Amino acid sequence: MNSNSLGTVLRWSFLIIFASYGTVLGQAQKPKRNLLFIGQAKGYQHEAISTAMSTLYNLGRSSGLWNTMLRTDCTAITKKPLKWEAKNLDAYDAIVFFTDGDLDMEASQKADLLSFVRDDGKGFIGIHSAAITFTSWPEYGEMLGGCFDGHPWGQFNAPLVVEDAKFPGLVHFPAEFSLFDEVYQIKGFSRQNVRVLMSLDAGKLDLTRKDVKRTGNDFAVIWAKNFGKGRVLYNGLGHVPAVWERPDFQKMWLEMVQWSMGLIPGDATPQPKPGK
């Protein structure tokens, strides 16, 4: 090989290495999003909370998309500076509540939580018993889209219907399927305010149960909604720990968390119940 040819090869090799290094460096410097997971239980102690925490933590880490802060207290839910360099709401892109009861939050913290979503354009995810959290705080119920009104069927093979397969995470399920889990009956819920993504098939439910209260045979399980500038998602599944081990369930969460952070699009415009 003559000197000219060798020089050309070296120049091209240098350019390829430099370009590759620049790509890797750019990926390494791309900031991850931050997720705050609150697992405080002030009532029923859900065994699945720890499983849910580890699942979302591992999904964020393995995908490289987000870091997860796991807390069983509510100290971080504030916009006030915290001692010892602890992070407050300003550090996070979305919050997850797998909680129940009246959490340890002062009035200013409640206001900061609402502002985090409504004014700052961040995300809020309520899992299962988030619907039985702050049931006497109307603004929380308004943000979430509804609240707990019993679970007439307990843990059972829930007949589920995917209403919006185009929404992030739902393409991984068939149009209709059953899942052994516990699903809440929700009150204060209206399709005029939320976009239902998954519901129970009322035609396969025992509606003669004495605790069935909702009229219209409309039992939403998962929904999304806009709240001011922000995004809210309620997912009523996940009471049974084994559900969190399912690959389709984990794929759903990988995409739903991204939606809550504004990383991927998804239409949360309310729509009527689809006809048969």
Side-chain angles (χ1 to χ4, degrees):
M1 181 180 294
N2 59 41
S3 59
N4 290 335
S5 298
L6 179 60
T8 301
V9 170
L10 289 174
R11 283 194 297 272
W12 277 108
S13 299
F14 174 78
L15 289 172
I16 292 171
I17 293 172
F18 182 79
S20 299
Y21 175 77
T23 300
V24 172
L25 183 63
Q27 291 175 344
Q29 292 179 339
K30 184 178 180 180
K32 291 183 180 180
R33 298 298 176 98
N34 293 307
L35 180 70
L36 175 61
F37 193 125
I38 303 295
Q40 187 176 61
K42 302 292 285 185
Y44 183 85
Q45 305 294 307
H46 281 86
E47 292 184 6
I49 290 177
S50 57
T51 311
M53 282 181 156
S54 63
T55 298
L56 295 193
Y57 177 90
N58 290 329
L59 286 174
R61 186 172 183 178
S62 62
S63 67
L65 292 170
W66 69 81
N67 299 308
T68 309
M69 175 65 74
L70 306 176
R71 301 295 296 262
T72 56
D73 64 273
C74 298
T75 304
I77 303 179
T78 182
K79 293 187 176 183
K80 297 178 180 178
L82 297 173
K83 296 180 180 179
W84 304 299
E85 300 182 353
K87 295 179 179 179
N88 64 9
L89 286 175
D90 294 335
Y92 299 101
D93 301 284
I95 300 175
V96 175
F97 268 25
F98 196 161
T99 53
D100 61 74
D102 291 329
L103 309 184
D104 297 328
M105 289 172 56
E106 298 176 351
S108 64
Q109 291 180 280
K110 292 180 178 180
D112 287 347
L113 173 61
L114 296 177
S115 178
F116 173 83
V117 184
R118 181 190 60 221
D119 304 323
D120 300 344
K122 303 294 185 68
F124 180 87
I125 297 173
I127 298 176
H128 189 57
S129 56
I132 201 170
T133 300
F134 288 129
T135 55
S136 59
W137 178 21
E139 291 82 3
Y140 174 82
E142 179 185 352
M143 177 183 72
L144 186 64
C147 63
F148 174 85
D149 196 24
H151 38 66
W153 305 281
Q155 296 180 39
F156 74 125
N157 287 313
L160 298 168
V161 178
V162 174
E163 294 195 15
D164 187 357
K166 295 180 180 180
F167 194 88
L170 294 177
V171 70
H172 306 293
F173 299 100
E176 298 182 8
F177 68 104
S178 63
L179 178 71
F180 185 77
D181 206 354
E182 180 186 80
V183 177
Y184 290 166
Q185 179 177 234
I186 301 294
K187 64 180 177 180
F189 146 81
S190 171
R191 286 180 180 263
Q192 294 181 350
N193 301 323
V194 307
R195 187 182 189 90
V196 176
L197 309 175
M198 186 181 291
S199 60
L200 289 171
D201 186 344
K204 298 178 181 178
L205 295 174
D206 180 3
L207 299 176
T208 64
R209 294 263 183 144
K210 65 177 182 178
D211 293 329
V212 175
K213 304 172 185 176
R214 186 162 180 84
T215 60
N217 296 339
D218 193 5
F219 302 93
V221 178
I222 304 176
W223 65 75
K225 61 172 295 191
N226 298 309
F227 182 67
K229 298 178 182 178
R231 298 161 299 280
V232 174
L233 177 83
Y234 174 73
N235 191 318
L237 301 175
H239 173 91
V240 176
V243 170
W244 292 90
E245 307 293 339
R246 292 174 55 122
D248 52 359
F249 201 72
Q250 294 182 7
K251 291 176 182 177
M252 173 191 70
W253 276 115
L254 179 63
E255 296 182 18
M256 285 187 169
V257 171
Q258 290 182 73
W259 177 81
S260 75
M261 294 178 170
L263 292 173
I264 57 177
D267 190 359
T269 305
Q271 61 179 0
K273 185 176 181 180
K276 286 289 186 179

